[in-house]
Structures are given as structure tokens and as C-alpha cells.
């Protein structure tokens, strides 16, 4: 995933030198869209690997995204309504004001006690700009 985004951005930079600013902007936009799609696909695969998971989206809340160095982070809080410890696997989508997907990450929050809450931090895969929302794309309790 990191190589895909890096290669795409390098290609966009090379195009900027050879074809002018407008073509570079188009290439960069396409490269970023391609890298974002690759990351989203990898996140879906990780979610598909969870065995015996049940939908737990209602148990999970995303905090406001914020910059943290060269990445965007959001605090994710799960509340376990069951009567035994549970592990959670959560797919977090970072979006812009128009709802466009900018990045997706998968976060594990393990050993959440019954009736209690526990938090973890979703950290973007790359530097993002214009992130206005972190939302729960999918959550599994297992």
C-alpha cells in the first residue's frame, strides 16, 4: 500500500516536470484516487479475515479527526454491551466535506470488558488535507 501511494505520487511529480501543471494536477488526482482505492480494498480484505464477527457498528463512535504530525488521527471508542470481554475490529473512513473518501484504516481494540468502554486511535496511512470527518465504515465484535 505504501509503495502504491509513493509510486503514484512519484509518477505525478515526474509528469509535472514533463507535461505542465494542468496535466500534473490531473495525474496527481488520479494517482491519489488509485492509492485510496487500493487502501480501501486492503481494509476490506482485513475485515473479511475476521472470523465469527458480528456487526457492532452501533457499539462504536468516532471522535473528531485532527492532525498529528504528518498524519490524521481520530479517537475511536467502543462500548461493549455484552456480558463477556469482546474484541473489536473497526474500519474507519476519513472523508472530506463533500463526503469523498480520502483514506481508510482498520483498527483493533481488544479485551473490552463487559459494560465498559475502551478507546484506540485510528491513524491515517498518509498525509491528508481537508479531512472533516472520521466515520465508522464497519465494526465487528468477536
Amino acid at each position: 500500500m505504501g509503495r502504491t501511494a509513493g509510486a503514484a505520487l512519484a509518477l505525478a511529480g515526474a509528469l509535472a516536470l514533463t507535461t505542465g501543471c494542468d496535466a500534473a494536477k490531473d495525474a496527481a488526482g488520479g494517482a491519489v484516487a488509485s492509492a485510496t482505492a487500493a487502501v480501501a480494498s486492503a481494509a476490506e480484505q482485513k475485515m473479511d479475515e475476521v472470523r465469527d464477527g458480528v456487526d457492532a457498528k452501533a457499539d462504536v463512535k468516532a471522535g473528531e479527526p485532527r492532525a498529528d504530525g504528518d498524519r490524521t488521527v481520530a479517537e475511536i471508542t467502543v462500548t461493549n454491551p455484552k456480558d463477556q470481554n469482546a474484541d473489536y475490529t473497526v474500519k474507519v473512513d476519513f472523508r472530506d466535506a463533500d463526503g469523498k473518501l480520502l483514506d481508510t484504516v482498520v483498527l483493533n481494540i481488544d479485551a473490552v470488558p463487559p459494560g465498559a468502554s475502551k478507546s484506540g486511535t485510528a491513524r491515517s496511512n498518509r498525509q491528508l488535507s481537508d479531512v472533516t470527518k472520521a466515520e465508522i465504515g464497519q465494526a465487528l465484535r468477536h
Side-chain angles (χ1 to χ4, degrees):
M1 285 180 285
R3 285 185 185 168
T4 302
L9 292 175
L11 173 63
L15 285 172
L17 295 174
T18 60
T19 62
C21 291
D22 289 339
K25 285 182 184 177
D26 291 343
V32 169
S34 177
T36 301
V39 168
S41 177
E44 286 296 329
Q45 288 177 341
K46 283 185 181 181
M47 295 302 292
D48 288 345
E49 291 173 4
V50 175
R51 298 291 173 232
D52 299 323
V54 297
D55 180 24
K57 197 170 176 180
D59 299 352
V60 185
K61 303 289 182 228
E64 291 295 318
R66 61 179 172 78
D68 183 27
D70 65 344
R71 300 290 189 259
T72 298
V73 298
E75 184 172 321
I76 307 303
T77 303
V78 299
T79 302
N80 180 4
K82 298 301 179 182
D83 59 0
Q84 60 186 349
N85 278 1
D87 298 330
Y88 288 79
T89 301
V90 182
K91 182 170 77 82
V92 181
D93 298 329
F94 290 100
R95 297 188 180 273
D96 67 11
D98 295 327
K100 178 181 170 193
L101 180 65
L102 302 174
D103 199 4
T104 299
V105 297
V106 175
L107 173 68
N108 292 307
I109 301 177
D110 297 327
V112 181
S117 296
K118 191 171 180 180
S119 296
T121 302
R123 184 174 179 80
S124 67
N125 294 296
R126 58 187 171 78
Q127 188 171 15
L128 303 175
S129 59
D130 301 324
V131 174
T132 59
K133 185 175 185 181
E135 66 182 27
I136 306 306
Q138 184 179 6
L140 298 173
R141 182 177 52 245
H142 49 98

